[in-house]
Amino acid sequence: MLSRGCGFNPCSICGAGARNGKLGGRLLLQPSQPVELRSTAEADRHYIDRPRVNLMLVVMKAHATEEQVRAVCQKIEALGYRAHSMPGATRTAIGITGNKGEVEHGTLEEMPGVQEVIQVSKPYKLVSRDVKEDNTVITFPGTNAAIGGPGLAIVAGPCAIENRDQAFTVAERVCRAGAQFFRGGAYKPRTSPYSFQGLGEEALRIMAEIRQQFGMKIITEAIDHESLDLVEEYADVIQIGARNMQNFSLLKRAGRARKPVLLKRGMSATLEEFLMAAEYILSEGNYNVALCERGVRTFADHTRNTLDLSVVPAVQRLSHLPILVDPSHGTGKRNKVTPLSRAAVAVGADGLMVEVHHQPDQALSDGPQSLFPDQFDELMTQVRQIAAVVGRTVPAIGVREPVAAGE
Ligand code: PEP
Ligand code: MN
């Protein structure tokens, strides 16, 4: 449970939650002492904005009717809060969000069908298993593709859409190898303003044609509000990239989108920051969110990033959201993508995002980490074997043969 004090429990700075004023053998500061916060990880953590009192959850009885659930939601909204109904296998939970503080005790407890009203002890709630025990499965009607079910979601394609021929050549190969999702950047968040920035809407149109021809679902990144409007129109899944994981206004906009969102982990984000970023999206009403581990910055310099596979079971323990792994950005090196893909599936990831290019040496971005199509074929063969060991499958999307234009 959350404690008094700054909300970080136990907190080494204000002392809340520590016994006898001591924490880990160190004497804590007295409240009257000036507190100098240095730029240490600990001090940074102190600044994490942890909501304390307005974390509430209505747990409905197992046999509560839909009308009773609706009545509770209406009551919550009438009180000026937002209700998030989360049906589960045995019962429905309703998350309450809003900035007004705690709902007065007794207001909801007495309503028909309500089992109990509880405080959620974690700073995130809608993404938490406390609110929804069952895994979230994002489905795509009319296909076998899903993110979070027993089948693995395989996302593959070039880093960026460079032209129509390049995109179609790669799409044909990754589709044939079994990817259900095609990726390709239309808007590229590049470190240098002089690097290729993406083809913008033209790339979105090319990807829409690829969906039409191959049946794969399209995932592409939005980097700001303007591009999100267009990505929402053309794509099947909106990607929010590592560099925007804490762009809170973009996260809120994604939360109002009618398409699922793939949220990549920031390159220095803790697990809690990652989940809080997802919470922003859910809190606006979009519950179709998948996470993606893509490596974090460490002292290791043999890879572009350090792929943190341990975050997969850590996320799955705390959250119902699916999590994919991107070994391409996670390692930055082609020769490490397949081994890390095997490991990701073995550790329980719900899918992979892999960069593939038919001419990586000429790629306009991320060539060194892009697999040749033949290597992607081999990756899929190996991933299928590992998937079987951990009780997962790699479902076909349902459309295999190219569909003639206009059909
Ligand atoms: C990408 O997937 O194209 C990308 C830019 O990844 P990240 O945001 O993880 O760097
Ligand atoms: Mn890339």
Side-chain angles (χ1 to χ4, degrees):
M1 289 296 288
L2 293 165
S3 68
R4 285 168 289 118
C6 71
F8 185 59
N9 185 23
C11 178
S12 58
I13 297 171
C14 78
R19 258 192 263 140
N20 305 326
K22 281 189 180 170
L23 187 95
R26 280 179 296 134
L27 199 61
L28 293 164
L29 296 166
Q30 298 303 308
S32 55
Q33 285 182 277
V35 178
E36 187 200 335
L37 292 178
R38 285 174 299 276
S39 178
T40 60
E42 203 170 62
D44 287 346
R45 287 172 67 89
H46 190 71
Y47 279 120
I48 293 173
D49 180 19
R50 285 162 188 265
R52 264 169 282 166
V53 286
N54 59 345
L55 307 174
M56 300 190 78
L57 184 64
V58 181
V59 182
M60 300 299 290
K61 289 182 178 153
H63 300 294
T65 63
E66 273 179 34
E67 263 157 52
Q68 289 170 337
V69 172
R70 204 174 313 123
V72 172
C73 289
Q74 279 165 357
K75 178 75 182 174
I76 292 166
E77 303 271 341
L79 289 166
Y81 300 88
R82 186 154 187 180
H84 305 262
S85 169
M86 302 275 199
T90 52
R91 63 186 70 213
T92 294
I94 304 167
I96 305 174
T97 60
N99 295 320
K100 284 177 41 181
E102 203 170 346
V103 180
E104 211 172 300
H105 201 72
T107 315
L108 299 166
E109 274 98 337
E110 303 307 323
M111 291 188 72
V114 172
Q115 174 79 38
E116 57 178 336
V117 179
I118 54 172
Q119 298 276 334
V120 178
S121 58
K122 302 191 180 71
Y124 41 84
K125 50 184 164 172
L126 300 177
V127 306
S128 165
R129 282 212 192 267
D130 292 350
V131 172
K132 183 171 178 281
E133 223 180 323
D134 316 317
N135 292 339
T136 285
V137 182
I138 304 172
T139 54
F140 297 84
T143 75
N144 297 326
I147 307 177
L152 296 179
I154 307 293
V155 186
C159 179
I161 301 296
E162 298 167 7
N163 56 60
R164 200 171 179 284
D165 278 358
Q166 170 249 17
F168 269 75
T169 304
V170 179
E172 196 273 322
R173 290 298 306 263
V174 299
C175 181
R176 191 139 47 93
Q180 313 98 346
F181 298 89
F182 181 72
R183 62 146 291 145
Y187 302 91
K188 296 304 302 174
R190 305 302 298 278
T191 303
S192 164
Y194 309 116
S195 300
F196 179 57
Q197 305 284 310
L199 295 181
E201 192 171 358
E202 187 187 338
L204 297 177
R205 280 195 289 266
I206 293 170
M207 284 187 279
E209 271 190 69
I210 284 174
R211 174 181 45 224
Q212 166 74 15
Q213 177 147 348
F214 299 101
M216 286 182 291
K217 295 291 166 186
I218 304 301
I219 301 189
T220 192
E221 179 171 353
I223 55 171
D224 50 27
H225 285 240
E226 204 185 345
S227 56
L228 201 147
D229 290 346
L230 286 165
V231 167
E232 182 180 12
E233 192 183 321
Y234 285 93
D236 300 293
V237 179
I238 302 161
Q239 179 173 321
I240 302 291
R243 290 156 191 81
N244 272 314
M245 192 208 80
Q246 285 192 316
N247 180 339
F248 300 119
S249 88
L250 191 62
L251 295 174
K252 285 190 195 171
R253 170 65 186 87
R256 294 190 293 273
R258 300 168 320 268
K259 299 274 172 76
V261 176
L262 180 73
L263 176 67
K264 299 190 86 174
R265 182 181 181 184
M267 48 188 95
S268 62
T270 63
L271 171 58
E272 188 173 297
E273 287 162 346
F274 194 14
L275 293 176
M276 292 300 278
E279 184 81 18
Y280 263 91
I281 303 172
L282 273 77
S283 72
E284 291 291 326
N286 189 348
Y287 307 122
N288 283 324
V289 175
L291 305 171
C292 183
E293 160 62 26
R294 47 78 72 208
V296 289
R297 285 256 166 97
T298 68
F299 54 83
D301 57 5
H302 62 286
T303 47
R304 177 177 176 180
N305 292 294
T306 296
L307 192 64
D308 177 14
L309 291 180
S310 72
V311 85
V312 173
V315 161
Q316 289 169 339
R317 190 183 165 94
L318 297 173
S319 175
H320 52 85
L321 297 180
I323 178 162
L324 308 188
V325 167
D326 169 355
S328 303
H329 294 88
T331 65
K333 294 193 177 167
R334 186 178 305 137
N335 64 18
K336 296 189 172 46
V337 171
T338 300
L340 269 300
S341 296
R342 293 195 303 262
V345 173
V347 86
D350 295 299
L352 299 170
M353 173 178 266
V354 179
E355 287 187 343
V356 181
H357 199 291
H358 67 305
Q359 292 171 325
D361 298 344
Q362 288 164 43
L364 296 183
S365 62
D366 286 348
Q369 68 194 32
S370 299
L371 294 185
F372 286 92
D374 286 352
Q375 292 178 311
F376 184 66
D377 289 345
E378 177 57 23
L379 177 151
M380 290 296 286
T381 302
Q382 295 186 16
V383 156
R384 283 197 172 89
Q385 291 172 36
I386 304 284
V389 174
V390 294
R392 310 288 291 255
T393 56
V394 183
I397 192 159
V399 182
R400 274 284 152 268
E401 295 307 318
V403 179
E407 271 180 36

